Amino acid sequence: AFDMIQANTFGDAHLFQPLIDAVLRGGDVYLLSVDFPSYIEAHKAVEAAYRQHDEWITKSILSVARMAKFSSDRSIQEYAEEVWNIEPAPVSG
């Protein structure tokens, strides 16, 4: 992807140089550029699966049906109790 940027594929490469410098010179703390090829491969697999319309619908329904109950309130409460070890604060209304 950096080669394409530097080849002016998306416009003046000079405009993108700070971005490239940030990633290649220690700014890629989450290693996004390292994972990018596997991201592209995963995206291609998703695109191929999506083209199989009936199979995609089946997978989508099964995915939702197999999900556990999710509640952001429950999740935050669990983090507060188990990770942060804090008590709820009273809220006046």
Side-chain angles (χ1 to χ4, degrees):
F2 294 129
D3 294 339
M4 292 176 70
I5 293 170
Q6 291 172 327
N8 296 316
T9 303
F10 307 107
D12 182 4
H14 180 73
L15 295 173
F16 298 101
Q17 197 59 48
L19 170 68
I20 293 170
D21 290 343
V23 172
L24 296 180
R25 291 178 177 69
D28 191 10
V29 295
Y30 298 107
L31 302 176
L32 300 175
S33 61
V34 174
D35 291 338
F36 195 68
S38 62
Y39 167 80
I40 294 298
E41 291 305 312
H43 202 282
K44 288 178 184 177
V46 169
E47 288 177 4
Y50 185 75
R51 288 188 196 106
Q52 305 299 320
H53 185 72
D54 291 341
E55 188 176 329
W56 180 266
I57 290 172
T58 300
K59 287 180 179 181
S60 298
I61 292 170
L62 288 174
S63 176
V64 171
R66 292 176 178 158
M67 275 196 264
K69 178 182 174 186
F70 178 79
S71 161
S72 59
D73 291 339
R74 178 190 50 80
S75 181
I76 292 168
Q77 182 177 353
E78 285 178 6
Y79 265 87
E81 293 172 357
E82 299 172 16
V83 177
W84 302 320
N85 296 317
I86 58 175
E87 297 291 325
V91 177
S92 59

